[in-house]
Amino acid sequence: MMTGQQLAAIADHICPMYAIVDPRGRIVRVGPTLRKLRPDLKWEGRRFFRVFDLSRPRRVRSMEDLVNTAGSKLHLHFRDTPQTSLKGVLVPLPEGQGAIINMSFGISVLEAVRDYDLTSADFSPTDLTIEMLYLVEAKSAAMEASRQLNLRLQGAKIAAEEQAFTDTLTGLKNRRAMDHILERLINSGRDFALMHLDLDYFKQVNDTLGHAAGDAVLQHVARVMVDCTRQSDTVARVGGDEFVLIFNDLRDARQLDGLAERLISQLEVPIPYGGKQCKISASAGTTLSVWHDGTITAAQIMNESDLALYAAKGSGRARHCFYQKGMEKDVLAQGN
């Protein structure tokens, strides 16, 4: 015949959330999982109703009432926090020695696993909770895999969009990005200035030193422009040796003229390449206005900056000009 200790060891394995209560309602022994829920509690000798509060059946007020619930489902929870809800069923022990109450978490098992860091080892091998935990783990793993996939896809999308709006040689914005930014600024009604800059003597660099030298010059030009502008401004390469600079909330002509002169001055410094010096310069045309009525278009703005650039080149290159009304007539006159 097995001893009480051996029987308790079996109970620990097949129903690890049990409590044995003596006829006076004091706890004699609890299973290992139940003990894990309150590791600092001295279980043995504590009154069952001091640890647990029985919500159903409502009529239970004493140990005798509790024993009379044998076979019925019990709804109870811990009196202290966290007040984890439990389900239970009571079986009387022979010869009036008390009762054993086997408990489970019911639908609160997920919260319990989270609150008490439980694993499958804390449940009976035949407990359906094990299957639920496996399903939850599988779902969590699938959700995490889906989240990681979404992050990678989002990253790929952002990278693709960034690539679509970036000039691969210089790392500046490209024409597509410039058009998008320009339309957004026009629609916002904000003040801005647009400078169209074209390199002088760049063709000679390509013709004499080759396209690799020309690429190195363009990359150097891009760095100079980024260094001379603010983070809120836009620098775009819109053609072979053509660049557009958009200055947010900047309409001060003196400030813009000074910036253009600084750009031109820095771009006139010879650029070393392959033991030789690449000499270029730049001409720039700027248009600035306050767009309140929404009638101005991106095409008009670009046309005004083109006319100003044409005027700068016509005045001897390495110059900067602002658009002024009437420049269209001057261009027509020069064309004739």
Side-chain angles (χ1 to χ4, degrees):
M1 182 177 293
M2 287 187 290
T3 66
Q5 194 71 22
Q6 290 172 323
L7 287 171
I10 293 173
D12 286 352
H13 186 64
I14 63 174
C15 52
M17 285 185 63
Y18 71 88
I20 297 176
V21 185
D22 67 16
R24 296 180 300 165
R26 295 183 181 275
I27 297 172
V28 176
R29 183 184 177 94
V30 296
T33 300
L34 196 58
R35 190 180 298 276
K36 187 175 181 178
L37 305 187
R38 293 294 187 274
D40 298 327
L41 178 65
K42 190 179 182 306
W43 289 87
E44 288 74 10
R46 295 291 299 272
R47 290 190 177 277
F48 182 81
F49 289 113
R50 290 287 180 87
V51 179
F52 298 100
D53 188 18
L54 204 67
S55 55
R56 280 189 289 172
R58 300 183 185 279
R59 66 179 185 275
V60 177
R61 293 292 182 271
S62 64
M63 183 60 191
E64 183 179 355
D65 293 338
L66 185 62
V67 172
N68 288 335
T69 68
S72 300
K73 183 185 288 187
L74 304 175
H75 297 257
L76 59 160
H77 59 81
F78 283 104
R79 285 183 173 270
D80 63 350
T81 54
Q83 293 183 316
T84 307
S85 296
L86 300 166
K87 303 292 186 293
V89 63
L90 178 143
V91 178
L93 294 175
E95 301 177 2
Q97 298 179 46
I100 181 168
I101 305 162
N102 190 33
M103 294 175 243
S104 70
F105 294 110
I107 62 173
S108 63
V109 61
L110 298 182
E111 291 82 356
V113 169
R114 178 198 62 209
D115 293 342
Y116 301 109
D117 195 25
L118 301 178
T119 67
S120 57
D122 296 310
F123 297 89
S124 166
T126 58
D127 194 332
L128 289 177
T129 301
I130 299 295
E131 306 299 325
M132 184 182 294
L133 289 177
Y134 287 149
L135 289 174
V136 170
E137 289 179 4
K139 180 181 178 182
S140 298
M143 290 180 66
E144 177 61 20
S146 177
R147 189 182 72 85
Q148 292 294 338
L149 178 60
N150 286 335
L151 287 175
R152 288 197 296 273
L153 290 174
Q154 184 67 17
K157 179 183 177 183
I158 292 172
E161 289 177 349
E162 185 68 22
Q163 187 175 10
F165 286 104
T166 301
D167 176 61
T168 55
L169 176 63
T170 63
L172 300 176
K173 295 287 189 292
N174 60 17
R175 179 63 183 255
R176 182 180 178 186
M178 188 275 295
D179 288 341
H180 177 75
I181 293 168
L182 188 54
E183 288 291 349
R184 189 178 63 196
L185 281 171
I186 292 170
N187 293 333
S188 71
R190 292 169 57 185
D191 297 345
F192 64 93
L194 186 144
M195 182 183 294
H196 194 168
L197 185 145
D198 184 80
L199 300 184
D200 301 324
Y201 315 114
F202 178 72
K203 185 176 183 300
Q204 287 88 320
V205 173
N206 276 335
D207 291 344
T208 58
L209 298 178
H211 288 284
D215 289 347
V217 167
L218 291 173
Q219 290 168 341
H220 174 80
V221 169
R223 288 192 294 270
V224 169
M225 290 184 176
V226 170
D227 289 341
C228 288
T229 54
R230 304 166 302 177
Q231 191 172 2
S232 60
D233 300 328
T234 298
V235 183
R237 181 186 176 209
V238 296
D241 61 348
E242 291 181 64
F243 299 83
V244 165
L245 297 89
I246 301 175
F247 303 97
N248 290 320
D249 301 315
L250 179 57
R251 294 184 61 255
D252 185 282
R254 290 181 60 187
Q255 201 172 343
L256 287 163
D257 198 41
L259 194 151
E261 288 180 6
R262 187 162 69 252
L263 269 173
I264 293 169
S265 175
Q266 291 192 29
L267 292 178
E268 287 182 322
V269 176
I271 304 163
Y273 179 81
K276 297 185 178 181
Q277 301 289 322
C278 303
K279 297 180 180 180
I280 62 167
S281 184
S283 300
T286 300
T287 180
L288 57 145
S289 299
V290 182
W291 322 116
H292 283 308
D293 57 6
T295 59
I296 195 76
T297 66
Q300 286 175 271
I301 296 170
M302 289 298 297
N303 184 57
E304 289 179 0
S305 65
D306 283 344
L307 291 169
L309 174 61
Y310 188 88
K313 282 186 173 292
S315 63
R317 300 193 179 187
R319 299 285 190 273
H320 171 240
C321 288
F322 287 101
Y323 169 77
Q324 296 178 4
K325 288 183 178 181
M327 277 186 170
E328 293 87 349
K329 296 178 182 178
D330 294 339
V331 170
L332 289 172
Q334 290 179 31
N336 293 329

